[in-house]
C-alpha cells in the first residue's frame, strides 16, 4: 500500500502479550515442569495440556475495551526477564533480509508489568521493574546491533488512570532504555483513548516518537503539539483501527496540514489509530454486500491505503491526490445523505420515550412472590445459561442450508429435532427451568442482527477474538428496527414439548452493540436505545405467547465500560437504562433473567443491581465464588446463580466439588435467593460432557436441599 515503515512482530501465533512474556521467559513453574520446548511450551501456556493435571492455562482476559482476549502473564516476583527467545530479532532479520524497512513492534515493559497478574500478596509488579527494564534493554541493544533504527514499544496503559508509582516507572524505565541502547529510536505507541494527564509524562520520556490515537482522542493533539519537545516525532493516528468506516480524508488531511504548519513535517508520522487486529482484513472479497453500503467501508487493507494517501497528500500537496480525495468525499457524502440510514418511525418512538417504560410494575420483592407462585420452583432451582452443544453435525447442516444444499423446510425439521433432543435431555436430568438450546443460532449477536433492520453482514469479515477463534461482527449502518418476532416460534415449539418452564432467550442491547461494528454518525448510546426497543418488543411477544421466564444476556456490559473512571458514570447510566427499556415491558409474574460472564464484576455491582433482573447468572467457578462477596449484604437483593462449574474445559465436575462451591456461596447469599447453574452456555462442549456434568450439578442441588431443609418462601 506504500507504507514506508512496517511494524513487524505484531503477528502472533496466539497472542502478543504472551509473545512478550515468552520472549522474556516468563514461564510459570507448572509449565516448566512439563519439559516442553519452543512452540509446544508456548501453546501449553495458552491452551493447556490434554489430561494434564495442575497445568491450568494462563488466564485470558479482555484487551482494554475490545472483544479481543489476551493471555495474562503470571509473575511471582522471582522472574529474571532473561531474553531467552529473541523472536523480535529473528523477525526483524527476516523482514530486513527481504529488503523491507521494518520496525520491530512489541508490548512495552511497563504495560507488560501492569497487565500481568502478580501472585504475591501485598507487592506490586513494579517490584520487578528493574529486571524487566534490563531485559528490554538487552533486546533493544541486540536489535540495534542487528541494524534496526527504530523499535515500537506499545504502552497502552498510558490511556488508563495510573497511580504515581506506575507513572514513575515510566520515567525510570525509559531513561534507562535510552541510556543503554542510545542508537535505536523508540516509538512509544498509545491507543484506545486520550492520554490526558499522562500526555505530559509521555512527552517528557526519553523516546523519539509518540503515537497518539486521534480517533478516540482528537482533543489531545493541540496540547501534544504545543508541548512537544523539539526532537519528538508525533505519530498521528487518524485512521480508525477499531471500526470499519471510511476515513473522511479531507478532514483528516486538514488536521495533518494544520499540524504541519506549526511543527516540522519531518517530525510527523501517519498511522492507523491502533493495531489493525480489530478490523477485518480486506473489503475486496465482499461481493455480497449492498454496493451502496460497501462504498462506505474500509477494512485493514483499505485503511493502509488511506494512511498512504494522507501521507502523499501531506508530502506532495492536495493536488497530487485530488481525484482520490474527491472520490472519498463523494462516499462520505453518500453515506450522510443515504435513504438507508434513517427511519422515521424509530426516531419518533425514541423521542416519545418516557421514564415509566424503564421500570417494572412492582419492585422485585413483590414480583418474586408472584413468580414463585406461578412457577412453583424448588429451593435452589437448577437451570442452564442457554446454549447446548453446537455439534459438528449441526454446523454442517447449517452450512448446507446456507449453501442451498438443504431446503429451509428440511433445515427447520433438523433444528426441531435438536430442540426436542435438548428438552428430553433436560427433563431426564430433571433440571427445573429449561432452555431450548439455541441450536438455530450460529452466534448470539449475528442471529439477531440478521433478523433486524439496519444491519449488514460480511462474508469474510473475521476478527480475532482469541487464539484461533474469530468472530464476524455485524455492521450496524442505520436505524435499527424489528421486522417480525425473532424467537417466538422456536420458543413455542420447545415449550409445547414439556410442562416445565422453558426460558425465552434473548441477547441484550448492550451486548449486540458491543459486539458489532457500530455506526459513528450518532452516539453509541442512541444506537443502543434503538436496539433496546427491538428487544423490548420481542419480550412482549414472548410473554403474549405464554412464556413465563425470559432471559436477556448481557455478557458484554462490563467490557463496554470506559477505560477512565471519570467516564464510567455516563456509560453505566445509559447501558442500564437500555437494559431496563428492553426488559420492563413485561408483567410482574414473568421472571426476568440476565447473564454475565468474562469479567470481574466488582466495579459494576451497583449497575447490575440497577438492572433489576429477577435473577442473574454469573461466571464464578474459576474464581471459587470469590466474586460473590461483592453481591453480599445490601449490595444486591435479587436472586443470583453463581456458576458452579467452568464450561471452557471438557472436564466433568464432581457433585462434591459443586456442593462445596454452593456451600461457599451460601455463606454470602441466602438459600432462598440462590440458583444453581453452570458458568456460561454449553455450546462449545459435547453432549457426552454436558449430560454427566449437569446430572452431577442437579445432584448437588438435591443433596443441598436435603441438608438445608429451609422453606422456599
Ligand atoms: N445464552 C448464551 C449461551 O448460552 C450466553 C452466551 C454468553 O454468555 N456469552 O450461549
Ligand atoms: Zn456467558
Amino acid at each position: 500500500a506504500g507504507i514506508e515503515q512496517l511494524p513487524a512482530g505484531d503477528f502472533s501465533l496466539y497472542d502478543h502479550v504472551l509473545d512478550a512474556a515468552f520472549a522474556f521467559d516468563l514461564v510459570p513453574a507448572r509449565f516448566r515442569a512439563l519439559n516442553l520446548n519452543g512452540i509446544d511450551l508456548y501453546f501449553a501456556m495458552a491452551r493447556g495440556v490434554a489430561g494434564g493435571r495442575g497445568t491450568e492455562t494462563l488466564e485470558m482476559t479482555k484487551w482494554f475495551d475490545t472483544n479481543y482476549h489476551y493471555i495474562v502473564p503470571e509473575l511471582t516476583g522471582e522472574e529474571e526477564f532473561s531474553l531467552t527467545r529473541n523472536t523480535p530479532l529473528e523477525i526483524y532479520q527476516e523482514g530486513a533480509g527481504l529488503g523491507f524497512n521494518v520496525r520491530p513492534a512489541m508490548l512495552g515493559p511497563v504495560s507488560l508489568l501492569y497487565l500481568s497478574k502478580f501472585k504475591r500478596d501485598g507487592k506490586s509488579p513494579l517490584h520487578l521493574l528493574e529486571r524487566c527494564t534490563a531485559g528490554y534493554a538487552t533486546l533493544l541493544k541486540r536489535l540495534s546491533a542487528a541494524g534496526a533504527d527504530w523499535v515500537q514499544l506499545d504502552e497502552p496503559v498510558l490511556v488508563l488512570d495510573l497511580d504515581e508509582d506506575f507513572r514513575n516507572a515510566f520515567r525510570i524505565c525509559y531513561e534507562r532504555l535510552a541510556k543503554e541502547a542510545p542508537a535505536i529510536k523508540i516509538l512509544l505507541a498509545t491507543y484506545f483513548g486520550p492520554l490526558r494527564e499522562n500526555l505530559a509524562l509521555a512527552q517528557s520520556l526519553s523516546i523519539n516518537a509518540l503515537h497518539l490515537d486521534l480517533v478516540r482522542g482528537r482533543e489531545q493533539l493541540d496540547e501534544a503539539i504545543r508541548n512537544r519537545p523539539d526532537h519528538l516525532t508525533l505519530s498521528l493516528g487518524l485512521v480508525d483501527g477499531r471500526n470499519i468506516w471510511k476515513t473522511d480524508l479531507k478532514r483528516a488531511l486538514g488536521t495533518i496540514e494544520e499540524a504541519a504548519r506549526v511543527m516540522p513535517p519531518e517530525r510527523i508520522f501517519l498511522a492507523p489509530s491502533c493495531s489493525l487486529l480489530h478490523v477485518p482484513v480486506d473489503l475486496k472479497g465482499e461481493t455480497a454486500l449492498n454496493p451502496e453500503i460497501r462504498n462506505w467501508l474500509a477494512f485493514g487493507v483499505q485503511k493502509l491505503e488511506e494512511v498512504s494517501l494522507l501521507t502523499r497528500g501531506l508530502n506532495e500537496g492536495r493536488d497530487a491526490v485530488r481525484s482520490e480525495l474527491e472520490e472519498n468525499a463523494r462516499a462520505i457524502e453518500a453515506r450522510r445523505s443515504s435513504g438507508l440510514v434513517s427511519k422515521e418511525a424509530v426516531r419518533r418512538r425514541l423521542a416519545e420515550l418516557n421514564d415509566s417504560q424503564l421500570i417494572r410494575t412492582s419492585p422485585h420483592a413483590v414480583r418474586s412472590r408472584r413468580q414463585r407462585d406461578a412457577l412453583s420452583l424448588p429451593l435452589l432451582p437448577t437451570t442452564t445459561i442457554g446454549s447446548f452443544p453446537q455439534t459438528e453435525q449441526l454446523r454442517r447442516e447449517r452450512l448446507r442450508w446456507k449453501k442451498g444444499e438443504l431446503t429451509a423446510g428440511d433445515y427447520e425439521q433438523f433444528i426441531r429435532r435438536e430442540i426436542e433432543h435438548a428438552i428430553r435431555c433436560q427433563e431426564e436430568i430433571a433440571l427445573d427451568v429449561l432452555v431450548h438450546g439455541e441450536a438455530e443460532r450460529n452466534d448470539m449477536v449475528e442471529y439477531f442482527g440478521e433478523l433486524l433492520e439496519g444491519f449488514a453482514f460480511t462474508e469474510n469479515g473475521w476478527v480475532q477474538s482469541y487464539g484461533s477463534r474469530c468472530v464476524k461482527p455485524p455492521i450496524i449502518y442505520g436505524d435499527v428496527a424489528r421486522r417480525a418476532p425473532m424467537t417466538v416460534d422456536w420458543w413455542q415449539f420447545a415449550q409445547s414439548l414439556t410442562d416445565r418452564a422453558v426460558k425465552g432467550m434473548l441477547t441484550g442491547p448492550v451486548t449486540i452493540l458491543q459486539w458489532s461494528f457500530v455506526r459513528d454518525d450518532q452516539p453509541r448510546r442512541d444506537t443502543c436505545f434503538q436496539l433496546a426497543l427491538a428487544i423490548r418488543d420481542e419480550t412482549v411477544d414472548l410473554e403474549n405467547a405464554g412464556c413465563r421466564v425470559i432471559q436477556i444476556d448481557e455478557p458484554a456490559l462490563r467490557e463496554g465500560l470506559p477505560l477512565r473512571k471519570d467516564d464510567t458514570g455516563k456509560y453505566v447510566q445509559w447501558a442500564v437504562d437500555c437494559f431496563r427499556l428492553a426488559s420492563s415491558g413485561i408483567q410482574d409474574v414473568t421472571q426476568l433473567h440476565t447473564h454475565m460472564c468474562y469479567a470481574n464484576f466488582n466495579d459494576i455491582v451497583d449497575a447490575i443491581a440497577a438492572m433489576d433482573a429477577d435473577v442473574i447468572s454469573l461466571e464464578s467457578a474459576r474464581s471459587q465464588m470469590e466474586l460473590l462477596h461483592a453481591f453480599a449484604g445490601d449490595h444486591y437483593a435479587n436472586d443470583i446463580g453463581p456458576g458452579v462449574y467452568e464450561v471452557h474445559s471438557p472436564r466433568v465436575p464432581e457433585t462434591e466439588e459443586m456442593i462445596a462451591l454452593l456451600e461457599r456461596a451460601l455463606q454470602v447469599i441466602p438459600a432462598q435467593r440462590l440458583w444453581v447453574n453452570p458458568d456460561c452456555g454449553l455450546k462449545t462442549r459435547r453432549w457426552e460432557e454436558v449430560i454427566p456434568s449437569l446430572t452431577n450439578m442437579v445432584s448437588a442441588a438435591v443433596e443441598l436441599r436435603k441438608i438445608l431443609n429451609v422453606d422456599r418462601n
Side-chain angles (χ1 to χ4, degrees), residues 385 555 595-598 679-681:
I385 308 304
H595 165 72
M596 287 187 191
C597 50
Y598 310 121
D679 262 352
C680 191

Side-chain angles (χ1 to χ4, degrees), residues 7 9 12 82 111 150 154 161 235 249 273 275 300 400 445 460 506 527 618 632 636 677 702:
S12 179
S82 47
S111 292
W150 282 92
D154 285 10
D161 298 313
S235 166
L249 291 176
S273 63
S275 160
R400 285 182 56 207
V445 167
N460 301 302
L506 305 172
T527 305
L618 290 169
Y636 192 76
N677 48 259
V702 170

